[in-house]
């Protein structure tokens, strides 16, 4: 026999599930449209317009297009319930929608957008007839572009977009369901070598070969890797290697990603990598320019209370959470990590009916497939149901906030 409060929460959860199911075709059309029009980080114009249109069609949402960033948006609803002057609890849902160069939505960000939209619409349905919640509740959907490059969430943090948000939810497609899986710190290093062109056959001795420097740099990093801690990563490409075989390259460019679980480790890894890049310059007589063009993505802070509530709601919907998610390792990064340092939240991973790996063409196909929809909407329901638990139960909200404070202290 459910208590009165439990009965009310269950009724709210039933309402949100019915609402999401009622909107399933529209939600699938939304993610399919984004999937069919892949746009790179910072250029998600179609996705932005499509999501703005999705929320604007319901006049009860207040929608701000081009919110602080050209392809970010904000959709707000509420507050409802509570008394005048009561502190409002602002629940945030995040939508990502940037694709990858050459392989489209190979990370399923079109489904992240669908989950965020569906969870928000569902929570609205659960709340709109509530007049006796512990506190007034508001819903904020943030369109957070450019996760794969640039770190749109970090730019939005710096622009104050998260200042009034109390909880934040999103979910990311993967190979299995996991309420939490470690995502680690990442920093990009851009390396430019400057040499001197010359005819490669007629008088090569007059040249200073920037491609030699690039190759040596790449090789130096490759041997460095043997001496790195097992949970560190460093990987990169030669973005520009020269123009023609008979012109000794005067300019080359490399891009590397450095990843570590802890910020102090990142400093150590950066120093080692920089030594490799400078050694290649010294060996070839080139000049070298080393920069970090994008902000550092932080690791995701865990929140045990939210993760446990998410698992409980997910299991009620039939989600299976493997004890040890095996098919994807934790060596990935996201700008949600930076958000998790300023707002309590969760970023679960969810199965989309494929064993393909992210950032592959097979995953792109899976992210646009009809069979991903059941899992996508189920994830949205679990996120929304988790939000219902927290907004209805002040003790849970306190535990969430305590987890957040403790997790931050552990980072020091
Ligand atoms: N959000 C979970 C992982 C998504 C992802 O693959 N992120 C990229 C971020 C790259 C930042 N320049 C990654 O390679 O981890």
């Amino acid at each position: 026999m459910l208590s009165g409060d439990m009965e009310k929460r269950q009724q709210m959860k039933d309402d949100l599930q019915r609402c999401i199911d009622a909107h399933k075709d529209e939600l699938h059309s939304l993610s399919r449209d984004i999937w069919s029009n892949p746009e790179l980080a910072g250029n998600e114009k179609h996705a932005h317009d499509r999501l703005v249109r999705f929320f604007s069609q319901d006049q009860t949402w207040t929608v701000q297009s081009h919110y602080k960033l050209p392809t970010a948006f904000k959709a707000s609803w509420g507050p409802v319930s509570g008394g005048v002057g009561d502190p409002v609890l602002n629940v945030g849902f995040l939508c990502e929608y940037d694709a990858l160069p050459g392989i489209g939505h190979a990370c399923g960000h079109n489904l992240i957008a669908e989950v965020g939209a569906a969870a928000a619409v569902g929570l609205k349905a659960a709340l709109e007839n509530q007049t006796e919640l512990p506190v007034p509740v508001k819903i904020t959907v943030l369109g957070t572009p450019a996760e794969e490059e640039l770190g749109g969430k970090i730019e939005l943090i710096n622009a104050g977009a998260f200042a009034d948000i109390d909880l934040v939810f999103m979910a990311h497609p993967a190979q299995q369901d996991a309420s939490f899986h470690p995502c680690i710190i990442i920093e990009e290093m851009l390396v430019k070598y400057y040499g001197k062109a010359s005819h490669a056959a007629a008088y090569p001795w007059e040249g200073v070969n920037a491609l030699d420097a690039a190759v040596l740099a790449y090789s130096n990093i490759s041997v460095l890797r043997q001496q790195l801690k097992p949970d560190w990563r460093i990987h990169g490409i030669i973005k520009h290697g020269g123009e023609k075989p008979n012109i000794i390259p005067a300019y080359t460019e490399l891009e590397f990603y450095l990843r570590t679980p802890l910020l102090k480790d990142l400093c150590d890894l950066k120093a080692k990598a920089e030594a490799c890049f400078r050694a290649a310059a010294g060996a070839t007589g080139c000049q070298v320019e080393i920069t970090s063009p994008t902000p550092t993505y932080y690791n995701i802070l865990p929140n045990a209370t939210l993760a446990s509530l998410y698992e409980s709601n997910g299991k009620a919907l039939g989600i299976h959470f493997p004890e040890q998610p095996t098919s994807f390792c934790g060596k990935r990064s996201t700008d949600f990590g930076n958000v998790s340092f300023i707002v309590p939240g969760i970023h679960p991973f969810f199965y989309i009916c494929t064993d393909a790996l992210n950032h592959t063409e097979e995953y792109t196909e899976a992210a646009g497939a009809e069979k991903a929809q059941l899992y996508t909407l189920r994830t949205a329901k679990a996120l929304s149901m988790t939000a219902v638990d927290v907004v209805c139960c002040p003790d849970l909200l306190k535990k969430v906030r305590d987890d957040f404070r403790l997790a931050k202290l552990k980072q020091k």
Side-chain angles (χ1 to χ4, degrees):
M1 180 69 174
L2 291 177
S3 68
D5 175 54
M6 291 294 285
E7 200 166 283
K8 182 175 85 169
R9 271 155 65 179
Q10 189 52 53
Q11 182 56 56
M12 291 169 73
K13 292 179 181 182
D14 294 345
D15 291 347
L16 75 84
Q17 290 178 62
R18 268 194 295 275
C19 172
I20 291 173
D21 287 339
H23 289 81
K24 68 182 175 68
D25 293 342
E26 191 186 349
L27 289 161
H28 184 201
S29 169
L30 171 70
S31 70
R32 183 73 191 180
D33 189 359
I34 295 170
W35 182 86
S36 305
N37 297 277
E39 298 164 302
L40 299 184
N43 294 295
E44 311 96 327
K45 300 178 180 65
H46 179 85
H48 164 275
D49 294 349
R50 187 69 175 76
L51 282 154
V52 165
R53 203 161 58 243
F54 173 85
F55 285 101
S56 300
Q57 66 193 359
D58 174 348
Q59 299 298 317
T60 62
W61 290 96
T62 301
V63 185
Q64 292 170 263
S65 58
H66 313 296
Y67 178 64
K68 298 188 185 289
L69 298 176
T71 57
F73 72 88
K74 177 179 177 180
S76 307
W77 178 83
V80 288
S81 186
V84 175
D86 287 346
V88 173
L89 183 63
N90 191 356
V91 179
F93 294 98
L94 307 186
C95 297
E96 292 179 7
Y97 32 88
D98 59 328
L100 289 158
I103 46 174
H105 277 288
C107 214
H109 288 192
N110 62 306
L111 299 179
I112 295 177
E114 183 179 357
V115 166
V121 166
L123 184 60
K124 172 174 173 286
L127 294 176
E128 54 196 358
N129 301 317
Q130 298 302 320
T131 56
E132 294 177 359
L133 295 171
V135 292
V137 180
K138 178 178 179 181
I139 301 173
T140 297
V141 182
L142 282 180
T144 61
E147 186 274 334
E148 292 287 356
E149 296 291 341
L150 311 174
K153 294 180 191 66
I154 302 166
E155 292 185 74
L156 288 170
I157 290 168
N158 296 336
F162 288 88
D164 67 340
I165 292 179
D166 300 293
L167 292 168
V168 66
F169 298 90
M170 69 169 281
H172 197 291
Q175 289 69 40
Q176 289 178 330
D177 286 282
S179 56
F180 174 79
H181 206 74
C183 278
I184 61 175
I185 296 164
I186 186 172
E187 179 151 327
E188 181 181 329
M189 290 183 87
L190 188 58
V191 185
K192 296 179 179 178
Y193 288 107
Y194 301 91
K196 181 172 174 289
S198 178
H199 194 299
Y203 10 79
W205 53 85
E206 294 297 334
V208 177
N209 196 319
L211 180 56
D212 286 353
V215 170
L216 285 176
Y218 192 86
S219 302
N220 290 347
I221 293 293
S222 300
V223 298
L224 168 67
R225 208 170 272 124
Q226 300 171 82
Q227 281 70 241
L228 296 183
K229 291 182 180 176
D231 51 5
W232 296 10
R233 291 287 185 276
I234 184 165
H235 42 99
I237 56 171
I238 296 177
K239 283 187 79 170
H240 181 79
E243 301 301 338
K244 295 294 286 179
N246 62 355
I247 308 171
I248 290 183
Y251 173 76
T252 55
E253 187 175 311
L254 300 88
E255 187 175 354
F256 277 84
Y257 288 169
L258 282 66
R259 303 186 201 236
T260 59
L262 299 173
L263 215 45
K264 68 179 177 61
D265 292 341
L266 180 69
C267 298
D268 188 359
L269 178 55
K270 275 186 78 174
K272 292 177 186 294
E274 190 155 335
C276 290
F277 301 140
R278 294 198 182 284
T284 56
C286 289
Q287 297 304 306
V288 64
E289 179 190 302
I290 303 167
T291 58
S292 289
T294 56
T296 305
Y297 290 16
Y298 295 157
N299 52 306
I300 295 182
L301 287 186
N303 192 292
T305 302
L306 287 174
S308 171
L309 289 169
Y310 177 79
E311 284 207 14
S312 172
N313 286 302
K315 285 174 182 171
L317 296 171
I319 296 179
H320 169 61
F321 294 96
E323 282 302 312
Q324 286 300 326
T326 53
S327 67
F328 63 100
C329 66
K331 305 301 179 289
R332 286 188 266 202
S333 309
T334 169
D335 56 2
F336 181 84
N338 302 60
V339 175
S340 73
F341 273 74
I342 59 164
V343 182
I346 46 169
H347 172 292
F349 288 92
F350 65 99
Y351 176 65
I352 64 166
C353 201
T354 182
D355 295 330
L357 301 178
N358 297 65
H359 292 207
T360 64
E361 292 176 358
E362 294 76 10
Y363 209 83
T364 303
E365 288 314 304
E370 168 86 32
K371 63 184 181 179
Q373 286 301 299
L374 179 146
Y375 306 93
T376 300
L377 296 180
R378 191 173 67 173
T379 298
K381 291 172 184 175
L383 283 181
S384 207
M385 291 158 73
T386 301
V388 166
D389 286 330
V390 179
V391 304
C392 291
C393 186
D395 287 348
L396 287 175
L397 178 59
K398 181 182 182 308
K399 284 179 180 174
V400 167
R401 287 170 166 165
D402 290 345
D403 288 352
F404 174 65
R405 275 191 290 273
L406 184 62
K408 284 211 293 183
L409 284 175
K410 283 182 176 177
Q411 293 295 310
K412 295 194 187 301

